Amino acid sequence: MDTPAGYRQPASMSHKRGRARQEQPRNPHLFDDTSTQPPPGMYGPGPPVGYGQGPPGYGPGPTQMFDPNQMAQQPYMGQELLNTPMANMAVQYGSSLADQGKDYVHKNIEKYVSTSKLKYYFAVDTAYVCKKLGLLVFPFTHTDWSVKYSQDQPVAPRYDVNAPDLYIPVMAFVTYILVAGLVLGTQDRFTPEQLGIQSSSALGWLILEILAILFSLYIMNVSSDIKYIDLLAYCGYKFVGMILSLVAGLLFQSVGYYIMLLWTSLCVAFFLVRSLKVQILPQADPDSMGHGPKRRLYMLLCIALLQPVMMWWLTSYLVVGRN
């Protein structure tokens, strides 16, 4: 039957519902009250998430603070490996192999180039360098071209301006590469690869020139006390004139280049004739060019005249490209 309007439920039912409402627990707080706690970050960052916790299944462990001193005291894995006997044996074996390789290379180098003899060509000082550069630029007033000896050994270049050295040729070679790069830079043709090209080209032509001279001496059966290191020194002096020619071309265009090239070529040729004459024509009078075998004389003139050709070949394309 439908409940008539205004009908109320029995009081017992309403009391049961009120009691049920009272027995229900109050809703717990969804978030903890943090109004009385300091905000995070006030006393520094806390430990990272999961730091200080034990392995899973064993419950959370006590919170641990990060101690850098304790981390520094712990040995690294690589340090432990280096302290093992096998590692010490490997280091000793490697050092012994390095010493053996150094001795092998030193012995093979000594067969061809003696270190003590090579030091002789670099025994120079400032006074010698200045005198030798002046002799290369203007050799016409120099009278004594003989090399001094002491107990059958030539004296060091610092004591004899006529002695050949490798210091000036090496420094002149490096300076020539730098000046050539500068000239190419003024023409907007410079690239870093050009330095390598210039150095390899100049060094290749120099080695080829020395080999050609040695082969010519052998073919013409010209016996001489001159060494290949002496030839390297004498042929390397032309880089001084090449530097001056490039600088003159840089300042005064092609006219200055050709004038300076002509002068330095004449000076280098005259310098080589007077210097090598003592070694290639030992029986001839130093002040006379009419004595001595003709083959030796021709060989001497070929070496001297080859220098201006090489000077022009290694510098002309730089100045011609500038114009």
Side-chain angles (χ1 to χ4, degrees), residues 253-292:
Q253 304 298 327
S254 60
V255 177
Y257 163 75
Y258 284 110
I259 292 176
M260 184 60 67
L261 179 64
L262 180 62
W263 174 259
T264 55
S265 299
L266 181 63
C267 293
V268 170
F270 182 84
F271 171 81
L272 288 181
V273 168
R274 299 306 301 266
S275 297
L276 295 178
K277 180 183 176 182
V278 181
Q279 301 187 31
I280 297 180
L281 301 174
Q283 291 83 13
D285 186 6
D287 296 330
S288 176
M289 292 294 297
H291 299 81

Side-chain angles (χ1 to χ4, degrees), residues 19-32:
R19 190 180 299 112
R21 292 174 181 174
Q22 294 177 0
E23 291 177 356
Q24 292 180 356
R26 297 181 179 179
N27 294 331
H29 295 287
L30 297 178
F31 302 97
D32 294 336

Side-chain angles (χ1 to χ4, degrees), residues 154-220:
V155 298
R158 67 166 64 98
Y159 303 116
D160 185 12
V161 70
N162 296 323
D165 71 285
L166 288 177
Y167 177 79
I168 293 178
V170 170
M171 294 296 104
F173 177 82
V174 176
T175 307
Y176 160 73
I177 301 301
L178 298 178
V179 174
L182 178 61
V183 174
L184 291 175
T186 58
Q187 304 170 11
D188 296 331
R189 294 192 298 161
F190 175 78
T191 57
E193 292 79 9
Q194 287 294 331
L195 295 178
I197 295 174
Q198 294 293 328
S199 59
S200 59
S201 176
L203 185 61
W205 281 108
L206 180 62
I207 295 175
L208 184 62
E209 177 186 1
I210 295 173
L211 292 178
I213 293 175
L214 292 176
F215 183 73
S216 300
L217 290 173
Y218 176 77
I219 292 297
M220 298 179 68

